[in-house]
Amino acid sequence: MLKNLLKKLQIISSWYFIIGLVISSVVAVVALRNNNVTALRLRDAVTQADKDNSDVEAALKTLREYVYSHMNTNLASGPNAIKPPVQLKYRYDRLVAAEKARVSASNARIYTEAQATCEKQFPEGLSGRGRVPCIQDYVTKHGEQEQPVPDALYKFDFASPVWSPDLAGWSVLLVGLFALILVVRVALEYWLRYYVKNEL
C-alpha cells in the first residue's frame, strides 16, 4: 500500500511546485515593489500640491486610500526616513507667516492707538515725560502675541495592511502555498521511501 502511494506521489513532480514557487515569488517581488513605488509617487504628488498651494486634500485622500488598501506601502521606512512621512511643510509655513503678518498689522494699529491716546494724556513736548511709559503700558495691555500654529495638524502617517487582496497579496499567498506544498511533498516522499525501504 505504501509502495502504491509512493508511486502516485512520484507522478506529481516537485518541479511543478518549484516552478510555481519561483514564478509566484517573482510576481510577488514586482507587485510589492510597484505598490511601494506608487505610494511614494502619490506622496510626492501631495508634496507638490502643498508646494503649489493647490488641492492638497484630494491628493492626501488619494494617498490615504491607496496606502490603506495595498500592502508594502509603508512610507516611513529606511534609516533616514522622515517621521511622520507626510508633512505639509509649505502649508504650515504659509500659516505661520500669515499669523506673523496678522499680529504685526494688529500691533502696528495698537501702537498708533497708543500714541494717539497718550498724546491726549501727555500733550506737552515731543516726547513728554510720561508719554513713552504710557505707550509702552498701552501696547503691553492691548498688544497681541502670535498664536502658535500646531504642527501636528499638518503631519500624517498612514499604516499599510499586513495583507491586501491585490496582485501583491495574492502572489505572496501563492508563494506561501507553493512553499508549504513543496515541503509537505518532499517530507512525505522521504517518509514513504524510508518506510518502503524498511518493509523490504
Side-chain angles (χ1 to χ4, degrees):
M1 181 176 164
L2 290 178
K3 237 181 201 178
N4 282 344
L5 194 58
L6 180 61
K7 283 180 183 176
K8 286 179 184 176
L9 186 65
Q10 287 174 335
I11 292 171
I12 307 167
S13 174
S14 295
W15 283 105
Y16 298 136
F17 303 113
I18 292 171
I19 291 167
L21 181 63
V22 169
I23 290 171
S24 58
S25 295
V26 169
V27 171
V29 167
V30 170
L32 288 168
R33 184 180 182 286
N34 184 53
N35 282 2
N36 188 259
V37 167
T38 303
L40 293 174
R41 184 177 50 76
L42 291 172
R43 181 183 64 181
D44 291 344
V46 170
T47 303
Q48 191 61 47
D50 180 35
K51 190 175 187 178
D52 298 341
N53 199 18
S54 59
D55 193 1
V56 174
E57 283 74 23
L60 263 175
K61 182 178 181 230
T62 304
L63 173 63
R64 181 178 58 245
E65 288 173 354
Y66 187 81
V67 169
Y68 285 164
S69 62
H70 293 80
M71 60 191 297
N72 195 41
T73 52
N74 181 12
L75 297 169
S77 57
N80 299 325
I82 57 169
K83 292 182 184 169
V86 180
Q87 299 184 11
L88 303 180
K89 176 192 180 307
Y90 299 100
R91 177 171 281 194
Y92 179 78
D93 290 347
R94 283 190 292 272
L95 288 170
V96 168
E99 176 64 9
K100 282 184 181 180
R102 185 192 69 77
V103 169
S104 179
S106 176
N107 285 339
R109 181 182 49 77
I110 288 168
Y111 185 78
T112 305
E113 289 173 10
Q115 281 182 317
T117 303
C118 293
E119 279 177 12
K120 289 177 187 171
Q121 290 178 7
F122 302 96
E124 296 191 8
L126 287 174
S127 62
R129 281 195 299 209
R131 195 179 297 167
V132 172
C134 173
I135 291 171
Q136 288 174 339
D137 187 49
Y138 189 94
V139 168
T140 302
K141 285 181 182 173
H142 298 93
E144 283 194 54
Q145 297 291 323
E146 285 181 31
Q147 297 300 315
V149 179
D151 65 347
L153 298 174
Y154 304 95
K155 294 178 178 180
F156 304 91
D157 191 2
F158 307 123
S160 65
V162 176
W163 184 83
S164 57
D166 60 352
L167 180 62
W170 290 115
S171 56
V172 165
L173 207 60
L174 278 176
V175 167
L177 189 64
F178 278 123
L180 180 65
I181 292 171
L182 184 63
V183 167
V184 168
R185 194 229 174 270
V186 169
L188 188 59
E189 183 178 358
Y190 177 79
W191 182 79
L192 286 172
R193 281 179 190 266
Y194 176 77
Y195 277 100
V196 166
K197 187 178 176 184
N198 285 345
E199 273 185 2
L200 301 173

